[in-house]
Amino acid sequence: MDNLKEKTAKGIAWGAINNGATQVLNLVFGIILARKLSEADYGIVALITIFTTLAGCIQAAGFSQALANLKPPTQRDYNAVAWFNIFAGFSLYIILFFCAPLIAWFFDQPALTDVSRVAFLTIPISAIGIVPNAKLWIELRNREQAIASIIALIISGCCGVWLAWNRYGYWSLAWQQVVYIVVATIIKYYFTRWRPTLPVDFSPIRQMFGFSSKLLLTNILTVISQQVQTFIFGKMLHINTVGQFSQANKWNTMGHSFISNTMAQVAQPVLTNADNEEGRQQRVFRKMLRFTSLVCFPLMFGLALVAHEFIIVTIGAKWEPSVILLQILCIGGAFIPLQTLYQNLIISRKRSDIYLRLVALQIVLQIILTLSFAKLGIVAMVAAFSALNLLFTACWHFALQRILPLSMFDVLKDTIPFTLIAAVVMVATHYATLSITNLWLLLLIRIMMAAALYLVAMRLLNVAILKECLQFIRKKQ
């Protein structure tokens, strides 16, 4: 148990370093690119995202999670998955290459034909790196993942900025994505020292397919649920409006993915290893839930608090219409990390069927709500989408109760205090700083005041999870 706690703590620490550095670099490069590029540039690349992410799900086919549930996976298992990913990735690229003109026609954006063919290069390249990434993840080698991600971000970000500076427009965003995947894949192969070998034997694929096929379909539906609004907006709204939404959604995703990705890097392997003792998995899950709540609610509510001054002073007044969209998205986005934990626990219980059904229900509700509120405008559609994200957390809990006894009262006790305290702190900070007119000063003071008030509240309430985090940090110094 102590060894598992130590590995979990180290995994979370390196996951936090990875995602923290990732968000800082994305922030810096995002600000520079947003100042140089137009709303239409972002809109055009946003329309391609659903195709690249869907193809990524299909080529991965859920086998990374399937490998994690093997105790332990063998070279034969890894090799079969690697060759499947590679064949699938290159096949999908060929199909999408010839479909590019149809995509451009559907959205009435001729530029999409050429730019999508470049952006789609990420599909076969990422396919080559799926197994090395899975090995690092399964072995909780988050340090190596962090190094690969940070180096790839720096190189690709510099490439994107150079292209934007030389007025290549949306091409800078497309090539930035390609360069990132190339560099990250090379580094992960270096760290794992693993290579696919011949002959090709797909028999392990058949053995894992029953579990992974449900995850494949679930991951496809998850991507659709995340991208359905951009897809609908791309067909119904002006390309500049799509760009505004893309900008708001980017900052919102950066916020909640910091904690979601940190926990996702350790959650499934740790929860899978914690299922061999009565009540142990519940205890591990609740501790992860408390840590996630400690971080995600002040982070996301704080981003909503400073959204206006942050957008104006960093990327410029031309992006001001995205402020209200960002604020609404942040409220629902605060609950996404909690849902990620539920999803990983359900997968660790080998119940990908429940995961599949729930994601399918969520996407159907998202499409219905988005189309139902279409006549009221983009703000109403985004508000409906955000409200669903908030409320659907309860659905994940009730689904989990079918396979694991976990009281709703315990979950509320683990999360609601952090939600309420974070909300009160942000409201108090907002009203306390209304008289400040300088936007730079307002941004700085709101961040410092909100952080100080939240930490003081946590210390006064003697929050155990905060004390454990501080003790771990002191131990490592």
Side-chain angles (χ1 to χ4, degrees):
M1 184 65 178
D2 290 339
N3 184 50
L4 181 62
K5 286 175 65 176
E6 182 71 13
K7 291 177 75 173
T8 303
K10 287 182 178 179
I12 291 174
W14 274 107
I17 292 171
N18 181 10
N19 287 286
T22 296
Q23 304 305 354
V24 170
L25 290 169
N26 279 328
L27 176 68
V28 172
F29 290 125
I31 289 171
I32 297 172
L33 290 170
R35 285 185 169 274
K36 297 298 293 183
L37 303 177
S38 68
E39 299 98 314
D41 291 329
Y42 275 91
I44 286 172
V45 175
L47 296 177
I48 304 171
T49 304
I50 189 169
F51 299 101
T52 55
T53 48
L54 274 176
C57 287
I58 295 170
Q59 70 185 10
F63 286 120
S64 292
Q65 293 97 326
L67 287 169
N69 273 359
L70 299 176
K71 297 182 179 180
T74 64
Q75 166 64 20
R76 185 165 163 263
D77 298 323
Y78 282 123
N79 202 55
V81 171
W83 284 114
F84 175 87
N85 295 151
I86 291 169
F87 290 148
F90 279 86
S91 299
L92 286 167
Y93 178 75
I94 293 170
I95 293 169
L96 287 172
F97 181 92
F98 290 106
C99 287
L102 293 176
I103 296 171
W105 168 80
F106 180 81
F107 290 111
D108 194 24
Q109 296 291 332
L112 283 175
T113 298
D114 292 332
V115 74
S116 62
R117 285 171 170 170
V118 170
F120 291 156
L121 286 171
T122 58
I123 298 166
I125 298 170
S126 64
I128 298 170
I130 288 175
V131 165
N133 186 66
K135 281 183 66 67
L136 294 175
W137 174 57
I138 292 168
E139 296 167 6
L140 293 176
R141 295 171 64 184
N142 289 354
R143 174 178 172 272
E144 288 84 351
Q145 290 191 70
I147 293 171
S149 178
I150 292 168
I151 293 175
L153 265 174
I154 292 172
I155 294 175
S156 63
C158 290
C159 176
V161 168
W162 183 85
L163 290 169
W165 207 266
N166 286 276
R167 301 181 179 180
Y168 281 90
Y170 48 75
W171 287 106
S172 58
L173 298 173
W175 278 110
Q176 182 186 24
Q177 295 173 9
V178 174
V179 172
Y180 175 84
I181 295 297
V182 169
V183 176
T185 299
I186 292 172
I187 296 174
K188 288 174 182 177
Y189 264 100
Y190 170 78
F191 280 133
T192 58
R193 306 291 183 180
W194 183 90
R195 304 291 183 272
T197 58
L198 295 172
V200 179
D201 177 14
F202 285 135
S203 55
I205 293 292
R206 290 191 292 271
Q207 297 167 10
M208 289 185 275
F209 190 72
F211 176 80
S212 66
S213 60
K214 297 184 182 71
L215 285 178
L216 167 61
L217 185 53
T218 303
N219 291 338
I220 289 173
L221 293 175
T222 300
V223 169
I224 294 173
S225 71
Q226 293 170 347
Q227 301 293 331
V228 66
Q229 281 195 304
T230 302
F231 189 83
I232 294 172
F233 294 164
K235 188 63 178 174
M236 297 175 59
L237 304 174
H238 191 275
I239 192 66
N240 286 359
T241 304
V242 178
Q244 292 286 351
F245 171 76
S246 173
Q247 192 68 240
N249 196 41
K250 181 187 76 171
W251 298 115
N252 168 61
T253 302
M254 283 177 60
H256 68 68
S257 66
F258 168 73
I259 185 65
S260 291
N261 293 345
T262 298
M263 300 307 297
Q265 286 179 323
V266 300
Q268 191 193 339
V270 170
L271 290 168
T272 299
N273 289 325
D275 68 351
N276 55 4
E277 179 186 318
E278 184 66 28
R280 186 184 184 191
Q281 201 173 51
Q282 290 96 317
R283 293 195 299 273
V284 172
F285 176 76
R286 288 189 63 191
K287 182 165 286 190
M288 287 183 171
L289 203 62
R290 290 192 293 273
F291 174 78
T292 302
S293 300
L294 171 74
V295 180
C296 70
F297 289 114
L299 178 65
M300 297 307 296
F301 292 172
L303 182 55
L305 170 71
V306 302
H308 179 262
E309 49 271 24
F310 171 76
I311 291 294
I312 301 302
V313 303
T314 55
I315 59 178
K318 68 181 179 182
W319 296 106
E320 188 169 8
S322 69
V323 171
I324 183 63
L325 303 179
L326 174 58
Q327 290 173 326
I328 295 170
L329 287 169
C330 283
I331 305 303
F335 293 85
I336 291 178
L338 304 184
Q339 295 182 22
T340 300
L341 282 181
Y342 276 105
Q343 292 161 5
N344 278 277
L345 181 53
I346 289 171
I347 293 172
S348 74
R349 303 288 295 187
K350 298 181 174 62
R351 292 304 303 269
S352 54
D353 56 326
I354 294 177
Y355 187 16
L356 169 60
R357 289 197 294 269
L358 218 55
V359 171
L361 174 61
Q362 189 170 14
I363 187 173
V364 169
L365 292 175
Q366 285 174 338
I367 294 173
I368 292 173
L369 282 174
T370 301
L371 295 177
S372 298
F373 284 81
K375 292 183 179 179
L376 299 177
I378 188 172
V379 174
M381 288 190 284
V382 171
F385 173 82
S386 188
L388 179 63
N389 267 342
L390 189 157
L391 297 172
F392 211 77
T393 307
C395 295
W396 284 105
H397 177 81
F398 292 131
L400 178 65
Q401 280 188 320
R402 296 178 56 190
I403 56 175
L404 189 71
L406 186 66
S407 165
M408 173 62 88
F409 176 77
D410 288 337
V411 170
L412 293 175
K413 187 170 64 175
D414 290 336
T415 57
I416 290 298
F418 299 104
T419 310
L420 294 177
I421 293 169
V424 169
V425 164
M426 300 313 156
V427 171
T429 303
H430 170 76
Y431 284 105
T433 55
L434 281 177
S435 60
I436 302 174
T437 56
N438 183 284
L439 291 181
W440 277 104
L441 183 62
L442 179 62
L443 176 62
L444 180 63
I445 290 180
R446 280 186 168 175
I447 292 173
M448 294 176 62
M449 180 179 292
L453 288 175
Y454 186 74
L455 287 174
V456 168
M458 294 295 103
R459 294 302 295 268
L460 289 175
L461 293 171
N462 201 28
V463 175
I465 192 67
L466 177 63
K467 292 171 64 176
E468 290 187 33
C469 293
L470 294 175
Q471 288 170 2
F472 177 79
I473 294 171
R474 294 191 194 101
K475 181 181 176 181
K476 295 302 174 184
Q477 287 178 344

